[in-house]
Amino acid sequence: MGFIMRNPYLPYPVRIEEITIETEDKNIKTLKLVFLNHDDEKNFSYNAGQFAELSVAGKGEIPIGIASSPTEKGYLMFTVNKVGLVTSALHSMKPGDIIGIRGPLGNHYPWDILRGKNVLIIGGGFAFTTLRSSIIYMLDPVNRPEFKEIHVIYGARSPGMLLYKDELAEWEARDDINMHITVDSTNDPDWKYNVGFVPTVTEQKAPPGTENTYAIICGPPVMIKFTQPVLDKLNYQHDKIIMSLEMRMKCGIGMCGRCNIGKEFVCKDGPVFTLAKLNTMPKEY
Amino acid sequence: MLKYIDKIKEISKRLLNEKAVDIVIGFQKGTIPMMNEPCLINKPENTDSLVWDSNCRINLAKYLTGRNEKIAVIVKGCDSRNIVTHIIENKIKRDQLFIIGAPCKGMIDRHKVASIFEEEIIEVAEEENTIIVRGNTAEKTFKKTDVMQENCALCIHRNPVIYDELAAKPVEEQANIDRYEDVRKIEEMKVEEKNSFFDKTFSACVRCYACRNACPLCYCPTCFVDESHPQWLGKSIDPTDTKTFHLLRAFHCAGRCTDCGACEQACPMGINVRLLTKKLEKDCFDIYGWEAGMSLDKRPPLDTYSPDDPN
Amino acid sequence: MKVIQIDKKNWAKGLERINKSYRLFGPVKENGLHVFKELEKGKLPDLNYLNTTLSPKSVVYPQSEIMLEYELDVSKENHHVMKETEKDYSQRALIGVRPCDTAAFLLVKPNFDTPEYKDPYWLRSYEATTFVGLACNNPQSTCFCTSAGYGPFNEDGLDILLVDTDDHFLAKIISSKGEDFLRAAGWETNIDPDTAKNIISEMKQQAENKITSFVSTEKLKDKEVNKLFNAPFWENLAFACINCGTCTYVCPTCWCFDVQDETHVSSGIRIRNWDSCMFPLFTLHGSGHNPRNTSTQRVRQRFMHKLKYYVDKYNNGIQCVGCGRCIRLCPVNIDIRKICNTMNNYE
């Protein structure tokens, strides 16, 4: 067997172009990455919902959802929460530093099925990254006509903890997307949007589930736990609720064995699963 | 020792019937020769499956931490000293336990028996002082004292030091035991000789951590090998990292190890894991006159400061 | 069917000849135990064993394997850009491997060889290897290979099957790789195929008759996965487990690994090491959440994976060849046969 396939463990080298601090506690930063080799960029053709392994030489790798949309050319964006060894290393980097990237990995949101449908996006905290990718993708002038109504419910603990604040404001101003931004609580008298937990706002503002309405939901386990009954009440069938899961990962290509739920690998058969599919799998995530 | 089981069953059944305990932790018969499997019993009628013989070498003190129930546990001398250490270290409360003490004349070293019997061992029958080993064609009788675990041969605390009820009368403690002959041999080696001795000793280690996991002392929520910042040592089978693991683990057991032998018996590669802990045990004894787990009232020397500590 | 007869008097000489063009791996006795190692020049494989302590998986899939390397010194060219480490994938022969262990490689292969991704390290190593198997004349009491779908004379994955007939080995050629190997050794004495067939067939039957350990697996496929997952017997079966990695490390069909970066001064490597689902760190999230927080959950994962998830995913039987190592080496006597039967018979 001739060995012509690229070594899937070998990262593409990328340079950090820009680092922006997203949240007031400075624990979440967005990295803008550019490929060192232009050819690598061509090989990195992805869809909203996928992730990549960010590789820091000497520290390790971490799986991070791709925050940029495939419609944004010339760079990739990743939003990283500082929790451990590799993320701390990324946070202490500067523009010009070189890291590696492997991907695109995993499956993506089911864009083929979502075309022609109403899309409800529900996101919480810093799990909003692939949802940003999805929104920018759908709002792109080429794609927007293919989707019907778009609703976005996005909440964080406080205004300072929301990601992509400038873009959220831009989307809020548009009339081809319904934004329902919320915070758990705030002391800010100028806060223009909702106050309340995501499940509550979902109950108040989300469109009802129909044959043509799909929900993409991405957030911390506690948010999902309380949002799901709301979606049930709104009549969303489980095959129309799309979720993106997290797991500890290493290889990202379905070989090291650690990210399995039953016989599926979250890195390869996921991270996107419908709730209907998850219901058939062992509850171990 | 073989007659203990009736008393052990009787005590266990009684405790469960009276609801004096919620569970009994003991051994049930294993599926291969010379092995018994630790088990948890919560119904009085199931106490009939308990066994006690010279293959009850696993230290059951391992299974006591992190539980909320009232537990009856069957312990040998070494195991009971680990319970004392658990209590001193606040891992378990005394009144959570009903300790069934089993005076011990030593456990059989199953690896040793397998290495000296010429065939695969199909069955081992135990008598009071001997074991009869049967293969497909051969059969041989061994004196238990000839195939005993090394730590048992050197044991000077065969009777439980803490218990609520004994399963039998105490046995005579062994006298004139030189516990540290093998340690002194290594101490007397020159540096290069010592270095290559330890290189060879740990060369077979596959970092399975069976030694660590079998040890009742190793209860850290995150073991030092699993920390990533800072990362104390590498996770590959690099010889330096491997020796570091064993050295550091031995130090973490200093002043606490009761030489129960669980580590050495658990090792699939036949490594003399106890060499390091024996050295630290000797040092604690020489420097502080300390023996681990003998009394609930004394705090370990590495835990306390006393003005007349040496140095 | 072609069979070569190797006079044991010619064994050492043949191996010496082969060693000129093949690296040789075989069982050796170290520390009182048999393990598979690369054979030093002139050293013969010690075939006087029932089965080895560690499986031969380390020959194809080393416990610690450097994958990539990099420079961290920013004054050097290509700093922080990872590159592949040079490897030696010259042909090698694995001599004296048991049929169960060889079949195990076939169970592991679909993990490393997928349509989307191919693991270059495992695959190159596997393909460079000629498997010279040694049939088991004396299965152990813990061998249940026939229940797993294999057997003491099974040929899956082998290039040659050696049958020990006291002063000879009968070498049954199973593939062209095997034929090349025998030719390189200079072992070319033919034996009448029918005679050989009869001898081998009889010895195979005798060996199979010696198997005393059986497990039931026929109902595993049709069981609903969540029914098994939520079954009440796990707590009891898992109680004794101390969550070490012994079973996973000695098992020929276990393949999970961890990836680590290690640095020294200004350069570094990315190395992969065997890992075990028995360890709590295996599934620990950065947030601190651990889906398999308890020992019972991890024990359940191991056996659900081996006896159910793998069965469902690959439709190729259980992820176990019945070698019995885990049974013999588990420090607390967790017995996969007991667990398999419990799962299979659970209603």
Side-chain angles (χ1 to χ4, degrees), chain A residues 193-250:
Chain A
Y193 313 119
N194 302 288
V195 176
F197 294 121
V198 166
T200 317
V201 176
T202 306
E203 187 158 5
Q204 295 163 352
K205 303 282 173 76
T210 70
E211 196 51 46
N212 291 320
T213 308
Y214 283 72
I216 301 178
I217 176 168
C218 204
V222 66
M223 184 204 95
I224 295 187
K225 181 174 172 185
F226 287 102
T227 308
Q228 218 200 285
V230 172
L231 291 177
D232 281 342
K233 247 207 274 188
L234 291 170
N235 217 14
Y236 280 81
Q237 296 305 300
H238 287 183
D239 62 341
K240 296 193 168 55
I241 299 177
I242 298 157
M243 299 176 57
S244 185
L245 297 185
E246 284 180 0
M247 268 300 185
R248 182 185 179 96
M249 295 179 186
K250 285 276 178 169

Side-chain angles (χ1 to χ4, degrees), chain C residues 1-5 153 161 163 165 169-173 189-204:
Chain C
M1 157 167 139
K2 189 164 172 211
V3 181
I4 299 287
Q5 188 170 57
F153 278 57
L161 178 67
V163 179
T165 59
F169 286 119
L170 292 180
K172 180 173 175 192
I173 301 177
T189 311
N190 278 306
I191 174 177
D192 168 51
D194 286 324
T195 315
K197 186 162 168 214
N198 289 333
I199 298 175
I200 293 177
S201 177
E202 196 183 317
M203 292 182 74
K204 176 176 172 202

Side-chain angles (χ1 to χ4, degrees), chain A residues 49 51 106-110 214-218 224 228 237-247 249 259-282 284-285, chain C residues 313:
Chain A
F51 70 99
N107 64 358
H108 49 80
Y109 297 125
Y214 283 72
I216 301 178
I217 176 168
C218 204
I224 295 187
Q228 218 200 285
Q237 296 305 300
H238 287 183
D239 62 341
K240 296 193 168 55
I241 299 177
I242 298 157
M243 299 176 57
S244 185
L245 297 185
E246 284 180 0
M247 268 300 185
M249 295 179 186
C259 71
N260 75 301
I261 302 173
K263 66 174 168 57
E264 325 288 336
F265 283 125
V266 177
C267 70
K268 195 175 176 193
D269 307 297
V272 176
F273 294 102
T274 64
L275 184 53
K277 172 78 177 156
L278 283 174
N279 290 340
T280 67
M281 292 155 61
E284 202 169 52
Y285 46 92
Chain C
K313 187 167 183 153

Side-chain angles (χ1 to χ4, degrees), chain B residues 28 30-32 35 37-39 58 63 67 110 120 206-208 210 213-214 226 231 235-237 268-269, chain C residues 31 33 53 63-64 140-141 239-240 242-246 249 260 273 281 327-328 330-333 335 338:
Chain B
Q28 66 190 10
T31 59
I32 55 173
M35 276 299 281
E37 183 186 349
C39 67
I58 295 164
Y63 298 94
R67 297 200 80 101
R110 70 174 179 127
E120 187 205 353
V206 289
R207 304 289 286 274
C208 67
N213 286 32
D226 289 334
Q231 184 162 5
K235 296 178 180 228
S236 74
I237 51 170
M269 305 305 292
Chain C
N31 227 14
L33 307 169
T53 299
Q63 178 164 6
S64 294
Q140 290 182 258
S141 61
F239 172 73
I242 56 175
N243 288 133
C244 64
T246 299
Y249 284 9
Q260 290 282 315
N273 305 311
L281 188 61
I327 302 169
R328 294 192 293 276
C330 174
V332 296
N333 194 211
D335 195 320
K338 186 159 91 173

Side-chain angles (χ1 to χ4, degrees), chain C residues 94-210:
Chain C
L94 178 51
I95 303 186
V97 56
R98 294 294 187 190
C100 54
D101 290 333
T102 314
F105 286 106
L106 296 176
L107 289 177
V108 171
K109 188 162 185 276
N111 180 64
F112 291 109
D113 185 3
T114 71
E116 302 85 4
Y117 304 108
K118 298 198 189 295
D119 184 306
Y121 310 101
W122 197 97
L123 283 173
R124 281 204 191 101
S125 200
Y126 179 70
E127 272 150 20
T129 308
T130 299
F131 290 86
V132 183
L134 179 64
C136 302
N137 292 339
N138 293 303
Q140 290 182 258
S141 61
T142 46
C143 293
F144 56 100
C145 48
T146 51
S147 299
Y150 308 102
F153 278 57
N154 188 265
E155 295 175 10
D156 294 347
L158 284 175
D159 297 298
I160 297 172
L161 178 67
L162 295 175
V163 179
D164 189 340
T165 59
D166 284 332
D167 18 295
H168 288 92
F169 286 119
L170 292 180
K172 180 173 175 192
I173 301 177
I174 297 167
S175 75
S176 59
K177 254 164 129 177
E179 189 146 21
D180 294 340
F181 178 85
L182 291 173
R183 198 178 312 116
W187 294 320
E188 295 179 306
T189 311
N190 278 306
I191 174 177
D192 168 51
D194 286 324
T195 315
K197 186 162 168 214
N198 289 333
I199 298 175
I200 293 177
S201 177
E202 196 183 317
M203 292 182 74
K204 176 176 172 202
Q205 192 57 59
Q206 281 172 4
E208 283 176 4
N209 290 342
K210 290 183 190 170

Side-chain angles (χ1 to χ4, degrees), chain B residues 78-137:
Chain B
C78 46
D79 312 332
S80 72
R81 292 165 59 199
N82 283 109
I83 292 184
V84 169
T85 305
H86 273 334
I87 295 169
I88 290 177
E89 293 178 353
N90 286 323
K91 288 305 290 180
I92 196 160
K93 295 210 177 347
R94 175 66 182 94
D95 57 16
Q96 205 182 329
L97 296 175
F98 188 100
I99 304 171
I100 305 173
C104 179
K105 286 204 180 150
M107 294 289 138
I108 294 166
D109 184 338
R110 70 174 179 127
H111 305 301
K112 188 173 184 177
V113 178
S115 69
I116 57 180
F117 191 71
E118 63 260 38
E119 289 180 350
E120 187 205 353
I121 296 174
I122 303 296
E123 200 193 337
V124 175
E126 189 176 331
E127 317 251 283
E128 199 54 40
N129 295 312
T130 56
I131 56 169
I132 303 156
V133 181
R134 290 187 189 96
N136 277 318
T137 59

Side-chain angles (χ1 to χ4, degrees), chain B residues 156-193:
Chain B
I156 54 175
H157 294 293
R158 299 156 109 191
N159 293 302
V161 305
I162 179 177
Y163 56 85
D164 290 293
E165 203 170 331
L166 280 180
K169 287 208 293 289
V171 296
E172 204 180 313
E173 295 291 357
Q174 301 191 100
N176 300 322
I177 298 286
D178 178 4
R179 284 187 58 72
Y180 306 115
E181 185 190 341
D182 51 353
V183 177
R184 282 196 305 274
K185 271 209 200 82
I186 304 171
E187 281 174 339
E188 282 151 19
M189 290 181 189
K190 293 212 219 344
V191 174
E192 303 82 35
E193 202 190 337

Side-chain angles (χ1 to χ4, degrees), chain A residues 7 9 55 58 248 258 260, chain C residues 119 121 257 261 270 284 292:
Chain A
N7 183 338
Y9 299 104
S55 174
R248 182 185 179 96
R258 78 190 56 246
N260 75 301
Chain C
D119 184 306
Y121 310 101
F257 61 88
D261 279 18
R270 182 159 285 171
L284 180 67
R292 292 188 212 126

